[in-house]
Amino acid sequence: MSQNWRKFTLKQRSRKRFLSAFFALIFAIAFAFTLVLHSFLPSFIFNDQADQAIAQTSPQSQRKQSQSNSQRNQSPRNQQSKQSPSSSPKNAQLLPQPLIPPLPPVNPTIVNKKQEIRGVWLTSNDFTMFSDRKQLSEALQQLKQLNFNTIYPVVWNGGYVMYPSSVAQREGIQPFVYRGSEGQDIVADIIAQAHQHDLLVMPWFEFGFMAPPTSELALTHPNWLTQERNGDTTSITAAGEVAWLNPFHPEVQKFLTELVLEAVTNYDLDGIQFDDHTSLPKTFGYDRYTLSLYKQETKKDAPADVDDPAWVRWRANKLTAFMANLNKAVKQRKPNVIFSVSPNYYEFAYKQQLQDWLGWVRQNIVDELIVQVYRNDLDDFRSQVSRAEIVEVQNKISTGIGILSGLRNSNVPMSRVYSQVITAQERGLGISFFYYKSLWGYGPESVSDRQKDLKYLFRSPAPRLFARGSF
């Protein structure tokens, strides 16, 4: 009896092992078949719902004007002037409808949107440094040690370029050529040395459409200038009294485009940058050419009210068209060049300077955005860097905040710089400082203390140079 029971038990165990192995094999075959079948299903079956979800969660552009009366044009150029007229709109109003509807996300092969910007502007105040090879080498080495990754050297300022320019010579606007202390090409030297320290170089066309009224540019081409309704042809800025080139005039557009393309062609640069001066104050545009063009296109006379929504939109759209054409020309010459823009916050930029930079981003005109936010109050700073349009843009392209690190006549304590950098970093935003010399040259603290704080803020490297040629 016990022997038969043992045989029966062994037989049952063998049957269980066989069934377990059999079902395991069936499961493996079914799982593999499911994977193969899934790989052959059309992707659009799944993508349609995903696209709808993305559309539903797409951030909306900022539409309400800030209630803070302290907001004003905080351009670094205006920060350097003794008097900067407040130009913040007085009444809280809704922004005009977006000029351009949101477009699909930027192709990620154009720009790596996760690249962190750690930059600094090299201004005309830094000329002594960057025109001397030894001083430049020491400065760039220091920036590298502090884990910076981008510099923006000025190349267009006061109606003159910092490099030998056949375009400037042809137009008769520059009777001299800037050279370094050893006779070197300043821009070529900056680029070569910066690349040795793994820094990206984006020459900065600071003056945009501005020109001093006594410059060769303004005097040689008076028909290129625009004016206000009362006939005034200049305005007071940080750079002093300036005239404004007419951004709607084809000869002006051709000139600036050729100037930019000359730099793009002749130098191994990584990008080019335009700021809040590649714009037009809202009070300008009443020159004969622009009034005629407006009437030709709209069948109406230009409004006397500079804030008339249609008049603002028409001029802003003209600027947008120019920037689109400029971007296209640059990309045709060198597809991987980064097209960078550094404007004021959107509400001011659009209403006061006719810069619809949010529209530029949505049209894929801009590869990198650095919004100038020069504030003393941390709460005001935090409010500006949290605006919806910045959130929208940083989901598409490299985005940073311009932070004031000091001026010749105005020290900025490192505590303020530190807190603002942390605030921006917490939101995933990059940083660019205005400007190099003020990083540790004007502050109340010692040079070593300011450098230690900067080193802590950028304590881990964030290289960008590896991306050269991959945008």
Side-chain angles (χ1 to χ4, degrees):
M1 183 76 176
S2 63
Q3 234 176 9
N4 290 336
W5 173 251
R6 190 178 295 110
K7 288 180 181 180
F8 176 77
T9 303
L10 291 174
K11 190 179 293 184
Q12 286 291 93
R13 290 177 179 174
S14 298
R15 183 177 298 174
K16 286 181 179 179
R17 291 194 188 99
F18 173 77
L19 290 175
S20 297
F22 176 76
F23 285 119
L25 178 63
I26 293 297
F27 177 79
I29 293 173
F31 181 73
F33 179 75
T34 301
L35 289 178
V36 172
L37 180 62
H38 184 274
S39 66
F40 282 98
L41 285 175
S43 60
F44 64 80
I45 293 178
F46 305 98
N47 289 343
D48 183 58
Q49 292 180 345
D51 289 343
Q52 291 179 8
I54 292 173
Q56 290 171 358
T57 58
S58 176
Q60 299 297 316
S61 63
Q62 184 76 11
R63 294 182 56 81
K64 290 188 178 181
Q65 180 179 357
S66 171
Q67 301 298 313
S68 172
N69 292 327
S70 64
Q71 292 176 356
R72 58 188 181 277
N73 183 5
Q74 294 287 348
S75 161
R77 271 58 68 185
N78 287 345
Q79 283 284 338
Q80 296 186 78
S81 62
K82 293 182 179 179
Q83 290 184 339
S84 178
S86 174
S87 43
S88 176
K90 295 181 179 179
N91 301 319
Q93 299 175 349
L94 290 177
L95 282 176
Q97 291 291 329
L99 305 186
I100 304 159
L103 297 176
V106 175
N107 186 340
T109 61
I110 299 175
V111 172
N112 179 0
K113 68 182 181 182
K114 295 183 179 180
Q115 285 191 321
E116 181 184 357
I117 302 166
R118 295 179 180 177
V120 61
W121 281 283
L122 308 186
T123 74
S124 55
N125 290 328
D126 300 308
F127 181 81
T128 300
M129 177 273 291
F130 64 68
S131 62
D132 182 281
R133 279 179 169 166
K134 183 179 179 181
Q135 290 187 47
L136 174 64
S137 176
E138 293 172 352
L140 296 176
Q141 184 176 1
Q142 183 67 67
L143 290 174
K144 172 62 176 177
Q145 290 174 352
L146 294 175
N147 289 324
F148 280 73
N149 58 26
T150 310
I151 60 173
Y152 304 93
V154 60
V155 295
W156 171 240
N157 177 284
Y160 305 116
V161 286
M162 290 284 183
Y163 53 86
S165 170
S166 59
V167 175
Q169 290 181 355
R170 183 195 69 204
E171 298 298 340
I173 67 169
Q174 189 160 338
F176 60 90
V177 176
Y178 281 108
R179 292 287 183 182
S181 58
E182 300 176 28
Q184 76 271 23
D185 181 322
I186 294 174
V187 176
D189 190 41
I190 291 174
I191 293 173
Q193 291 205 48
H195 285 170
Q196 291 175 5
H197 295 287
D198 299 328
L199 297 166
L200 289 188
V201 186
M202 303 192 200
W204 167 37
F205 286 78
E206 178 187 7
F207 259 50
F209 291 111
M210 286 198 319
T214 57
S215 64
E216 285 84 357
L217 175 57
L219 296 175
T220 304
H221 299 284
N223 60 313
W224 286 7
L225 306 180
T226 184
Q227 66 182 44
E228 295 180 312
R229 189 167 181 268
N230 63 5
D232 287 348
T233 58
T234 62
S235 64
I236 303 300
T237 70
E241 186 179 15
V242 299
W244 288 88
L245 300 176
N246 186 352
F248 318 127
H249 198 295
E251 292 180 9
V252 171
Q253 295 182 353
K254 180 175 180 291
F255 164 72
L256 192 57
T257 299
E258 290 181 346
L259 209 60
V260 171
L261 292 180
E262 187 174 47
V264 171
T265 302
N266 294 341
Y267 296 101
D268 185 27
L269 46 74
D270 303 294
I272 48 173
Q273 189 182 75
F274 309 93
D275 66 8
D276 55 315
H277 298 141
T278 310
S279 65
L280 187 68
K282 66 177 183 179
T283 56
F284 284 80
Y286 289 91
D287 57 277
R288 183 178 301 176
Y289 176 85
T290 303
L291 294 177
S292 175
L293 182 63
Y294 183 81
K295 188 166 187 176
Q296 176 184 333
E297 294 187 359
T298 67
K299 312 304 179 186
K300 300 177 182 178
D301 291 328
D305 180 6
V306 299
D307 295 313
D308 180 87
W311 178 225
V312 170
R313 179 177 298 184
W314 183 87
R315 289 175 293 168
N317 284 347
K318 290 294 181 186
L319 269 174
T320 297
F322 167 74
M323 294 300 286
N325 290 332
L326 180 59
N327 174 279
K328 182 178 179 180
V330 167
K331 298 292 186 178
Q332 286 177 343
R333 194 66 56 91
K334 285 185 180 178
N336 297 329
V337 165
I338 300 170
F339 201 91
S340 176
V341 175
S342 178
N344 283 299
Y345 67 95
Y346 182 69
E347 189 169 25
F348 181 91
Y350 177 73
K351 284 188 171 183
Q352 305 297 325
Q353 298 175 303
L354 311 178
Q355 273 190 320
D356 182 22
W357 58 255
L358 183 58
W360 300 356
V361 173
R362 289 174 175 172
Q363 288 193 73
N364 302 331
I365 296 171
V366 179
D367 299 323
E368 174 189 277
L369 181 78
I370 301 176
V371 181
Q372 300 174 31
V373 183
Y374 304 106
R375 298 290 188 273
N376 297 330
D377 180 72
L378 183 58
D379 288 336
D380 191 10
F381 180 87
R382 185 181 293 112
S383 173
Q384 288 297 317
V385 302
S386 303
R387 294 173 74 95
E389 64 265 24
I390 292 181
V391 175
E392 176 181 342
V393 170
Q394 74 177 124
N395 286 324
K396 296 169 70 72
I397 61 176
S398 297
T399 306
I401 300 299
I403 292 178
L404 183 67
S405 49
L407 297 169
R408 284 178 296 181
N409 58 354
S410 177
N411 292 338
V412 174
M414 198 61 199
S415 58
R416 184 194 305 168
V417 173
Y418 187 93
S419 61
Q420 291 183 354
V421 171
I422 292 297
T423 300
Q425 289 178 334
E426 287 175 345
R427 288 155 177 76
L429 295 163
I431 302 296
S432 188
F433 293 106
F434 187 82
Y435 51 96
Y436 170 78
K437 194 170 184 178
S438 68
L439 283 174
W440 45 78
Y442 300 144
E445 305 86 0
S446 68
V447 171
S448 60
D449 284 346
R450 288 177 75 90
Q451 289 180 347
K452 285 179 183 177
D453 284 339
L454 289 169
K455 180 66 174 180
Y456 183 79
L457 289 169
F458 296 156
R459 51 193 174 275
S460 300
R464 297 185 79 189
L465 192 58
F466 69 90
R468 296 185 71 233
S470 66
F471 284 95

